[in-house]
Amino acid sequence: MSDLETLSRDLLERIHAAVDLTSLEAERVAALGKQGAITGLLKTLGRMTAEERQVEGPRIHGLRERVAEAITARKAALEAAELERKLATETLDMTLPVATGPQGTVHPVSQVMDELAEIFADLGFSVATGPEIEDDWHNFTALNIPETHPARAMHDTFYFGETDGERRRMLLRTHTSPVQIRTMMRQKPPIYIIVPGRTYRSDSDATHTPMFHQVEGLVIDRGIHMGHLKWTLETFLKAYFERDDIVLRLRPSYFPFTEPSAEVDVGYSVVKGRRVLGGSDAWMELLGSGMVHPKVIANCGLDPDEWQGFAFGCGIDRLAMLKYGMDDLRAFFDGDVRWLKHYGFSALDVPTLSGGVGA
Ligand code: PHE
């Protein structure tokens, strides 16, 4: 057997025996690299006579080609084997059921906010938001509650220290109504928005927590009147409580930012010791509302002769308690997982009007 054949057999054997890509690369360098065996042989061609070269040239080039092919083939085989190994060890059976159910639940307040967005989206309203840390101009002054107004004291406001007189005093918003102002100043009418969000007042008992949730409604358009307000509230509450027999009663009231203002009561009856909404046996107060005061519209740079509207504000926690039967508001914010397991919602229980906005 010639030297060349021995070398060829030896090289090919080692290439086949390479167990991984690193050792294969070492074999490639040993054969075809700058100092490689075959490279060395190719160099000898220069020193040969023309006749010798005619015989040896094709043999050496042939050997180089076979070795290069063997390396390519071995490389492909090693890569395929590696992929096989990965696929075998990293299996993921997509048909298996989830072993443990999701641990968390959607808080009833979040669920109700989603329900509100769904109901009002169907009426052409979009969802607006604003900052929880407000200044007193947006929270009070622009809403027609001047510095000396007694309504400021009624709100039990959390203030952030004193101001130097120049800057507006900062506070935790006491209601979602400042977002009325922010929206009217930013966006040209017509405006149809709801504003769900956190609000703060220094107050705490079974039905009051220092942080609570409100939803504001605001419509600014041409020719809006109280009839639109009443219809909107009725449509909203019938959809929310999923009952057609919801009856509303509008009582004259007072808010500095609406004129006229109305407190809205909803009818209920007591069935087996529980309040059930619907009918008109008894009444409970549910929300505040009214026609947006012309001064508020003017404060936002709009002409009150051209634009009118209505607004309402409603406690979201209260809405949740009435629909889902919790009786202590403080438990909402205790973060007790047992309470959340009992009253929370599945993440997949997305409220839709077609599928129902109920539980
Ligand atoms: N902002 C009022 C409150 O918190 C509620 C309200 C909103 C009343 C809009 C009328 C119009 O009590």
Side-chain angles (χ1 to χ4, degrees), residues 187-205:
Q187 183 185 324
K188 272 183 63 185
I191 292 169
Y192 288 77
I193 54 158
I194 58 162
V195 184
R198 293 195 182 104
T199 46
Y200 303 82
R201 287 181 205 177
S202 178
D203 205 352
S204 185
D205 58 37

Side-chain angles (χ1 to χ4, degrees), residues 117-288:
E118 179 67 17
I119 292 167
F120 277 99
D122 199 49
L123 301 177
F125 287 63
S126 53
V127 173
T129 54
E132 290 167 31
I133 297 174
E134 258 300 1
D135 57 60
D136 70 9
W137 189 81
H138 285 92
N139 194 81
F140 292 125
T141 316
L143 286 161
N144 197 31
I145 315 176
E147 202 88 44
T148 51
H149 200 286
R152 286 212 182 191
M154 273 162 48
H155 275 211
D156 300 311
T157 312
F158 288 113
Y159 283 101
F160 288 90
E162 294 297 321
T163 56
D164 48 23
E166 279 288 297
R167 284 190 10 245
R168 289 171 182 173
R169 196 169 180 196
M170 301 307 283
L171 46 82
L172 289 174
R173 69 179 180 192
T174 57
H175 50 178
T176 40
S177 302
V179 187
Q180 288 189 29
I181 305 298
R182 290 186 177 274
T183 307
M184 280 190 269
M185 296 189 76
R186 191 180 50 218
Q187 183 185 324
K188 272 183 63 185
I191 292 169
Y192 288 77
I193 54 158
I194 58 162
V195 184
R198 293 195 182 104
T199 46
Y200 303 82
R201 287 181 205 177
S202 178
D203 205 352
S204 185
D205 58 37
T207 52
H208 297 90
T209 47
M211 189 282 296
F212 58 105
H213 299 85
Q214 279 194 341
V215 61
E216 192 86 6
L218 175 70
V219 166
I220 301 287
D221 206 338
R222 292 190 175 92
I224 298 294
H225 54 71
M226 291 282 280
H228 295 119
L229 167 65
K230 185 160 191 272
W231 181 87
T232 304
L233 291 176
E234 256 167 22
T235 307
F236 149 47
L237 292 167
K238 281 180 180 172
Y240 176 73
F241 288 111
E242 296 180 294
R243 295 183 68 115
D244 273 334
D245 61 349
I246 296 289
V247 187
L248 299 187
R249 187 173 75 172
L250 271 64
R251 264 183 303 112
S253 184
Y254 172 77
F255 298 101
F257 34 91
T258 47
E259 183 57 38
S261 304
E263 212 112 38
V264 178
D265 297 339
V266 61
Y268 70 95
S269 50
V270 178
V271 182
K272 290 186 198 141
R274 274 193 62 214
R275 283 179 174 187
V276 176
L277 291 195
S280 52
D281 286 355
W283 301 96
M284 75 174 103
E285 189 188 315
L286 195 60
L287 54 89

